[in-house]
């Protein structure tokens, strides 16, 4: 079953056009397949979808549906077995190592387990988002340009951590650590944000606060988002578009406002919501 998105509700309450024929997508995925071993079972079984500049898109589905694998294929943290991934007009699967490094500078990623360096300060963790531009040598001597330091301070204020700049990352709560991860991702000046279960380690209230913050900042910086998320209700509340997966197949693709109970029942047919 495929549900085509028409006019979708945009971030921050603004109406935005959905998948118009003359709009070039930021990300276009066609017939994506992944097997982790030669001749082994397929994790992704011919997935097709695109992401436009106005999308805040949630990928939902039961455990083992392939959600995390799908997200990680986009920047080749997982190598696809077959299919095409076109990001910013480039065929991701065809890129060599140096080209892939340059592409990844344009992709912000927010992880489930935060991926912070615990012994480093909040400020240094955020500035590490510029490593792809400054290089390890300048980073080692903390020789970041003044504009990077100003941007880091601004982002820390935006995520509510302006009073924690010099704290070690391991002195923060889970919600604060994820806010550091958000600021670090935005330090890259990304053109797309990939979120891999960004709230699964957080309690329900903090999860809503964090997802609301990401949505607000994505709208502010005009960055499309592709988010693997396990909390269906949070996805419906926060995201303007839903991709539903089951057992490596796409079962739904459309606006969150148009999702019906029967659609969820089909996606989660083998799992109790």
């Amino acid at each position: 079953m495929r549900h085509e998105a028409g006019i979708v509700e945009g971030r921050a309450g603004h109406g935005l056009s959905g998948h118009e024929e003359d709009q070039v997508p930021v990300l276009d995925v066609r017939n994506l397949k992944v097997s982790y071993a030669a001749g082994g079972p397929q994790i992704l079984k011919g997935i097709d979808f695109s992401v436009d500049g106005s999308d805040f898109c949630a990928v939902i589905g039961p455990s083992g549906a392939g959600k995390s694998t799908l997200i990680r294929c986009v920047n080749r943290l997982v190598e696809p077995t077959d299919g095409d991934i076109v990001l910013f007009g480039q065929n991701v699967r065809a890129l060599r190592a140096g080209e892939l490094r340059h592409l990844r500078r344009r992709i912000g990623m927010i992880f489930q387990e935060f991926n912070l360096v615990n012994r480093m300060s909040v400020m240094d963790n955020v500035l590490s988002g510029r490593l792809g531009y400054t290089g390890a040598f300048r980073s080692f001597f903390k020789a970041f340009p003044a504009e990077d330091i100003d941007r880091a301070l601004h982002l820390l204020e935006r995520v509510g951590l302006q009073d924690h700049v010099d704290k070690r990352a391991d002195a923060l709560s889970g919600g604060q650590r994820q806010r550091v991860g958000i600021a670090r991702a935005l330090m890259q000046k990304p053109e797309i944000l990939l979120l891999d279960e960004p709230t699964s380690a957080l309690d329900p209230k903090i999860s809503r606060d964090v997802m609301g913050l990401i949505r607000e900042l994505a709208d502010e910086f005009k960055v499309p988002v592709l988010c693997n998320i396990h909390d269906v209700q949070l996805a419906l509340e926060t995201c303007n578009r839903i991709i539903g997966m089951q057992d490596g197949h796409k079962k739904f693709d459309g606006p969150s406002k148009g999702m019906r109970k029967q659609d969820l029942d089909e996606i989660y047919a083998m799992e109790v919501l």
Side-chain angles (χ1 to χ4, degrees), residues 31-247:
N31 196 35
L32 184 63
K33 298 178 182 178
V34 173
S35 298
Y36 283 131
Q42 282 191 325
I43 309 301
L44 298 180
K45 304 171 182 177
I47 301 292
D48 296 310
F49 72 96
S50 61
V51 173
D52 296 331
S54 62
D55 278 333
F56 195 112
C57 183
V59 182
I60 66 170
S63 298
K67 304 186 300 295
S68 184
T69 299
L70 176 63
I71 294 286
R72 290 168 175 261
C73 279
V74 174
N75 58 2
R76 271 177 56 191
L77 291 177
V78 169
E79 289 286 351
T81 308
D82 198 4
D84 295 310
I85 303 169
V86 179
L87 182 62
F88 315 131
Q90 298 182 71
N91 185 342
V92 176
R93 293 192 64 207
L95 297 180
R96 293 170 293 194
E99 297 168 326
L100 183 59
R101 282 196 300 272
H102 279 84
L103 182 77
R104 285 174 173 165
R105 297 194 309 192
R106 304 167 68 183
I107 304 168
M109 188 140 188
I110 300 173
F111 297 89
Q112 173 182 353
E113 298 298 336
F114 318 128
N115 279 29
L116 304 182
V117 180
N118 286 330
R119 67 181 182 277
M120 286 172 50
S121 70
V122 166
M123 183 66 165
D124 286 341
N125 269 284
V126 174
L127 284 169
S128 71
R130 296 300 292 171
L131 280 177
Y133 295 89
T134 60
F137 181 81
R138 292 186 69 178
S139 171
F140 182 80
F141 290 101
K142 299 185 179 180
F144 288 95
E147 64 186 270
D148 286 349
I149 294 171
D150 289 343
R151 180 176 176 84
L153 289 170
H154 170 69
L155 287 169
L156 284 169
E157 182 177 2
R158 287 293 291 108
V159 301
L161 294 177
Q162 63 270 26
D163 296 329
H164 302 275
V165 171
D166 296 321
K167 282 188 178 179
R168 279 175 52 129
D170 56 7
L172 302 180
S173 68
Q176 289 171 330
R177 287 164 65 82
Q178 193 56 288
R179 287 170 182 261
V180 176
I182 295 167
R184 178 186 57 194
L186 290 172
M187 271 302 294
Q188 295 178 228
K189 301 182 180 178
E191 295 168 55
I192 190 170
L193 279 172
L194 303 179
L195 281 55
D196 191 11
E197 296 278 15
T199 63
S200 64
L202 307 175
D203 67 42
K205 182 186 182 303
I206 300 300
S207 294
R208 273 157 179 76
D209 290 344
V210 165
M211 281 298 290
L213 177 63
I214 295 172
R215 174 173 170 163
E216 179 183 333
L217 292 170
D219 187 66
E220 178 180 329
F221 291 102
K222 297 180 172 56
V223 184
V225 175
L226 182 64
C227 175
N228 161 27
I229 185 168
H230 71 285
D231 188 326
V232 175
Q233 188 58 42
L234 186 55
L236 293 171
E237 291 173 6
T238 308
C239 304
N240 68 352
R241 181 172 158 217
I242 303 289
I243 293 173
M245 293 182 61
Q246 183 197 88
D247 191 30

